[in-house]
Amino acid sequence: MCYDIRASLETQLKRALRRGDQEAAREIREKLLPFTDLPLFHASGFSHPRLLIYTDESPEYPSVATWGLIPHWVKDSAQQKQIWNRTLNARGETIFEKPAFRLAAKGNRCLLFVDGFYEHHHHQGSTYPHYIHRRDGEPLILAGLYSDWADPETGEVITSFSIVTTEGNPMMARIHNNPKLAGPRMPLILPDELADKWLEPCQDAADRQALEELIRSYPEEELAAYTVGKLRGKSYPGNVPEITTEVAYPELDT
């Protein structure tokens, strides 16, 4: 699963700046940043933060989107609030079949650049959050689905997204061990050289197969993980830079 992430503005701008367009960066900072919740040192999907995504329609210039996909068929804000906690993630193996995701899977795919994500490890009745990131310090490029939904009551158009997930690699199997969930799972992290393929058109069975071939676990040797402080409860410090400071739990070594 992927319900907790870290996303700095610099990381979110990585794709927009890959050709060194400083003017684009300035424009994004001035016109888009005020409408996001960045920087997010820790954000839970259940708070529905606003981030930047790169879509198949605008692959180089990002859009502001809310985490929690709102399908086009949602009738009103009441139904929207009922569903978007259930669409934070989209299981990669079924995105072309599930009613909430199949339209987006065919024609509304996006990329999300994050510093890392958090996952909880269960041990003797307690949970221990881990922070997972690329070993080389580069951003994680997550595959996503997005939707533009018009609220019939206000006319407001909301762009929203879901993070695609896949089977967890061996490292995630050690961390993501919630006995109540089928797993392990992890976000669909795309290698740099394959990210553009996620945004390519899906017009026939061959295109769909090419997309499905991208849905695989990210190599564990390219990731690193360590334990951090609590992300829930009274001791949670909030959205502060120190949230990713390593914290040792001696009981995990026993």
Side-chain angles (χ1 to χ4, degrees):
M1 311 302 289
C2 183
Y3 293 143
D4 301 84
I5 62 171
R6 177 185 174 109
S8 64
L9 175 62
E10 291 72 20
T11 291
Q12 289 254 283
L13 290 178
K14 191 75 173 185
R15 184 177 177 90
L17 286 175
R18 63 179 180 171
R19 294 187 176 91
D21 190 347
Q22 294 297 325
E23 178 60 25
R26 183 193 64 78
E27 183 174 322
I28 292 168
R29 290 175 187 273
E30 291 181 358
K31 295 184 178 181
L32 299 185
L33 180 59
F35 297 98
T36 72
D37 295 310
L38 297 167
L40 296 171
F41 304 106
H42 166 254
S44 165
F46 294 101
S47 66
H48 306 288
R50 296 167 298 172
L51 301 93
L52 299 176
I53 62 171
Y54 297 85
T55 71
D56 45 10
E57 292 187 352
S58 180
E60 304 300 333
Y61 193 88
S63 302
V64 178
T66 300
W67 190 359
L69 187 140
I70 309 170
H72 71 283
W73 41 259
V74 167
K75 297 179 180 179
D76 52 36
S77 58
Q79 188 180 19
Q80 172 235 320
K81 289 180 173 60
Q82 289 177 349
I83 195 171
W84 71 346
N85 277 347
R86 302 197 300 270
T87 57
L88 299 175
N89 291 171
R91 194 176 181 90
E93 297 86 343
T94 58
I95 55 173
F96 287 100
E97 284 80 38
K98 293 293 185 179
F101 303 121
R102 59 191 178 196
L103 186 64
K106 292 177 182 177
N108 292 87
R109 276 163 277 108
C110 64
L111 301 174
L112 175 69
F113 283 64
V114 302
D115 298 88
F117 65 98
Y118 303 86
E119 191 59 75
H120 286 83
H121 175 73
H122 289 247
H123 178 72
Q124 296 183 355
S126 298
T127 57
Y128 299 86
H130 288 62
Y131 178 63
I132 300 100
H133 59 97
R134 266 178 59 162
R135 191 175 294 277
D136 61 7
E138 289 297 307
L140 297 176
I141 308 175
L142 306 187
L145 308 175
Y146 75 97
S147 173
D148 294 321
W149 177 76
D151 187 332
E153 299 167 359
T154 65
E156 178 188 9
V157 176
I158 301 174
T159 300
S160 59
F161 71 92
S162 177
I163 293 174
V164 178
T165 66
T166 187
E167 182 179 357
N169 61 27
M171 183 182 80
M172 292 307 302
R174 295 189 293 272
I175 297 173
H176 186 215
N177 65 340
N178 188 339
K180 297 182 180 180
L181 298 176
R185 303 291 295 176
M186 68 185 301
L188 174 52
I189 305 168
L190 297 169
D192 296 355
E193 67 276 10
L194 296 180
D196 286 346
K197 292 185 177 297
W198 184 253
L199 301 181
E200 291 180 357
C202 181
Q203 299 174 336
D204 53 34
D207 291 339
R208 172 173 167 171
Q209 181 178 351
L211 287 170
E212 290 176 331
E213 289 175 355
L214 297 175
I215 303 173
R216 62 184 66 178
S217 304
Y218 197 73
E220 69 168 327
E221 62 271 15
E222 296 185 20
L223 298 174
Y226 58 84
T227 49
V228 296
K230 299 297 184 179
L231 303 180
R232 310 281 191 267
K234 294 181 179 180
S235 60
Y236 171 56
N239 182 36
V240 296
E242 297 78 20
I243 196 72
T244 47
T245 299
E246 184 170 3
V247 174
Y249 296 95
E251 60 268 34
L252 294 180
D253 296 328
T254 60

